[in-house]
C-alpha cells in the first residue's frame, strides 16, 4: 500500500519569525497525522527549517536544484549542497519555473537526475495550462513532460515522486474535481507502469488549490497519493487539516 504524502510548497514566502511560528504549530499537531509530511522552503531558510525539524518525523526539501555539479553557475544551488545538510526532497519543474524561468522538459529531467545522484527525492511537477486543457491537450502535455524524465532516469524513475498540478488550478481557488484529477493520475500511473514494474508503489501527488475542505475527496481517489500544497501550507491550521485528511 502506498503511504500518503503531503508536501508544503512555501514558494517565495516566509520570514524567520513566521517560519518558527508555523513549524512550532506543525510540530504540535503532527501526532494526529498518519501520513508522510514535508515542507519545501526558500533556500535561505533551509538551515532554520532543518534545525527546527531535527529529530521530528517531518521532512524538508528545496523548491529547485541545479542540473549541474558545483562550479561556475552564479545563483544556482547544487543538489550536492542540499544533500550535505540532510535535505530530503527537491521540487523540480514546478509550473512557475517552467513559465517564469523558461525551464523546458529536458532541463527538468536533468534536475531530477542531479537530485537523485545526490540522494534527494525529486518531486517532478507536470501539468497543463487552461488553454491546453480546453484544446483537449491535457494527456499529450503531461505525457510529454513525464516522458522526458522517464527517458533521462531510465529504471531510476521509480525513485521520484510525481506531482500533477494543473496550471489553471494553482493559486486560483479553482481545484480540479476529484474525477478530473484521478483521470490524469491514472494516465500518469499507466505511463509509469510501462517504464517500471515499481509504478504501483510510486507516489503521485495532486496540487492546485488543495484546502482542508476539498482534500479528503481528492485523496480518496485510487491514484492520488497526497498533495503538493501552496497557499494553504502557510497557515498551520489549514495545512494540519489537509494532513489530517491524508491520514
Ligand atoms: P496552491 O495550493 O496555492 O494552489 O499552489 C499549488 C502549488 O503550486 C503547489 O506547488
Amino acid at each position: 500500500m502506498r503511504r500518503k504524502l503531503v508536501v508544503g510548497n512555501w514558494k517565495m514566502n516566509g520570514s524567520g519569525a513566521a517560519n518558527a511560528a508555523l513549524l512550532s504549530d506543525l510540530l504540535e499537531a503532527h501526532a494526529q497525522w498518519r501520513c508522510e509530511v514535508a515542507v519545501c522552503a526558500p533556500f535561505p531558510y533551509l538551515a532554520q527549517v532543518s534545525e527546527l525539524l531535527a529529530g521530528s518525523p517531518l521532512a524538508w526539501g528545496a523548491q529547485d536544484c541545479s542540473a549541474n555539479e558545483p562550479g561556475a553557475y552564479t545563483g544556482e544551488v547544487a543538489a550536492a549542497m542540499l544533500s550535505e545538510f540532510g535535505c530530503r526532497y527537491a521540487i523540480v519543474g514546478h509550473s512557475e519555473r517552467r513559465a517564469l524561468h523558461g525551464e523546458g522538459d529536458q532541463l527538468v529531467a536533468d534536475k531530477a537526475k542531479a537530485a537523485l545522484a545526490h540522494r534527494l527525492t525529486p518531486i517532478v511537477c507536470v501539468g497543463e495550462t487552461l488553454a491546453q486543457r480546453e484544446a483537449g491537450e491535457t494527456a499529450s502535455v503531461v505525457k510529454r513532460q513525464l516522458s522526458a524524465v522517464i527517458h533521462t532516469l531510465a529504471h531510476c524513475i521509480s525513485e521520484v515522486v510525481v506531482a500533477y498540478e494543473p496550471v489553471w488550478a494553482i493559486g486560483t481557488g479553482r481545484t480540479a474535481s476529484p474525477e478530473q484529477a484521478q483521470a490524469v493520475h491514472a494516465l500518469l500511473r499507466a505511463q509509469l507502469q510501462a517504464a517500471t514494474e515499481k509504478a504501483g508503489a510510486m507516489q503521485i501527488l495532486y496540487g492546485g488549490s488543495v484546502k482542508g475542505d476539498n482534500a479528503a475527496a481528492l485523496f480518496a481517489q485510487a491514484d492520488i497519493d497526497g498533495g503538493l500544497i501552496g497557499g494553504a501550507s502557510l497557515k498551520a491550521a489549514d495545512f494540519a487539516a489537509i494532513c489530517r485528511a491524508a491520514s
Side-chain angles (χ1 to χ4, degrees), residues 30-48:
H30 87 267
Q32 310 165 11
W33 308 336
R34 297 285 165 269
C35 56
E36 297 174 5
V37 176
V39 296
C40 293
F43 290 125
Y45 296 131
L46 290 178
Q48 179 195 21

Side-chain angles (χ1 to χ4, degrees), residues 7-11 91 94-96 125 163 165-166 169-174 206-211 227-233 242:
V7 179
N9 173 10
W10 292 359
K11 307 195 179 185
I91 297 172
H94 191 280
S95 63
E96 286 149 17
C125 301
E165 296 208 311
I170 295 178
T172 58
R174 189 178 160 188
Y206 168 79
S209 297
V210 179
K211 308 282 178 226
L228 183 53
I229 319 300
S233 73
I242 294 168

Side-chain angles (χ1 to χ4, degrees), residues 98 105 109 124-127 139-153 157 160-163 184-185 187-193 202 204:
R98 290 179 190 262
D105 296 337
V124 177
C125 301
V126 300
S140 63
V141 168
V142 299
K143 276 187 176 175
R144 188 202 71 223
Q145 291 171 334
L146 185 57
S147 162
V149 185
I150 290 174
H151 274 103
T152 299
L153 299 188
I157 188 66
V160 316
V161 170
V162 175
V184 177
H185 280 235
L187 207 137
L188 294 170
R189 178 97 53 206
Q191 190 180 358
L192 292 166
Q193 252 144 7
M202 291 177 66
I204 308 181

Side-chain angles (χ1 to χ4, degrees), residues 95-103:
S95 63
E96 286 149 17
R97 294 210 61 86
R98 290 179 190 262
L100 304 173
H101 300 270
E103 295 192 5

Side-chain angles (χ1 to χ4, degrees), residues 121-145:
T121 298
I123 300 175
V124 177
C125 301
V126 300
E128 82 287 3
T129 63
L130 184 57
Q132 288 165 333
R133 173 161 283 262
E134 287 175 345
E137 294 168 2
T138 300
S140 63
V141 168
V142 299
K143 276 187 176 175
R144 188 202 71 223
Q145 291 171 334

